[in-house]
Amino acid sequence: MASTVTMMRPASMRQVARITATTNIGTSIHALHTIRSLSTARPSSSQRTNTSTSNLPWRDYFSLRHSRKMWERVGGTLGGTSGFVGGAYYFAAVAEFDPTQQLFGDLSPMVVYPLGAVAVAVAGTVGGILVGGLSWRAVKGRETLQALDSRDREFFRRIQRHRPKEIAMAVPIPGSQSGMPDYYGEKINSVADYRDWLKKQRKFKVARLTMGKGPQ
């Protein structure tokens, strides 16, 4: 009986060792699959956005910004012209015109109709700017738009940081012809323009401080 137990022990130990080795191999394979899946996983949208933003040079940003402005200006010009022509035609040829009839209380049609044509032109200009901007965005790629929007926010933060903080400082200096130099940075179309804008802001602040102190 004792010899039978002695013969079974080595066999049992070999089975335990075999099971342990199989378990370790399975764990290693699972770990390799996990590492491979993590290494081949695609980056998240935020990571792609950050990468595209960091890869957009300022020179390209100003070029895209200028292109967008041109589309908006063309759209606004076309919309305003079409609105004025259409409004003028409506009030001149379609709408009933009675010079003896007062409109809106005591206003003559000779005043109301031209104002109506101008109002239509203004609405057409605003609509044309919006359509031009949307059309420009429609022909650009998604990553380009994300990078541009991120640069827009960063650019506006720079403008806010370097321009005068107080609203009162935007009032033109007495005797100055230009006053506050480009408060919103709309005339900045290149890196050189931005540097020139910074110089003008510093000069403006110095002039304001000098004027505030007054004669000693």
Side-chain angles (χ1 to χ4, degrees), residues 176-194:
S176 175
Q177 296 181 356
S178 58
M180 177 68 202
D182 195 9
Y183 188 76
Y184 294 101
E186 291 294 328
K187 298 178 181 179
I188 300 176
N189 294 316
S190 64
V191 177
D193 291 342
Y194 176 71

Side-chain angles (χ1 to χ4, degrees), residues 40-103:
T40 58
R42 294 183 178 180
S44 60
S45 58
S46 60
Q47 291 175 343
R48 289 196 300 269
T49 302
N50 294 334
T51 302
S52 59
T53 302
S54 61
N55 291 335
L56 180 65
W58 282 104
R59 182 177 300 177
D60 295 342
Y61 164 73
F62 285 119
S63 177
L64 290 172
R65 190 168 179 260
H66 180 70
S67 174
R68 181 180 60 187
K69 285 183 179 180
M70 291 301 299
W71 279 60
E72 291 175 348
R73 288 174 183 173
V74 171
T77 301
L78 294 177
T81 303
S82 301
F84 181 77
V85 172
Y89 173 78
Y90 173 80
F91 289 110
V94 178
E96 296 181 359
F97 180 77
D98 186 0
T100 62
Q101 183 182 2
Q102 301 297 318
L103 301 175

Side-chain angles (χ1 to χ4, degrees), residues 11-30:
S12 300
M13 293 176 65
R14 286 195 298 269
Q15 292 178 356
V16 172
R18 188 177 301 171
I19 294 173
T20 304
T22 304
T23 304
N24 292 334
I25 293 173
T27 304
S28 301
I29 294 174
H30 178 71

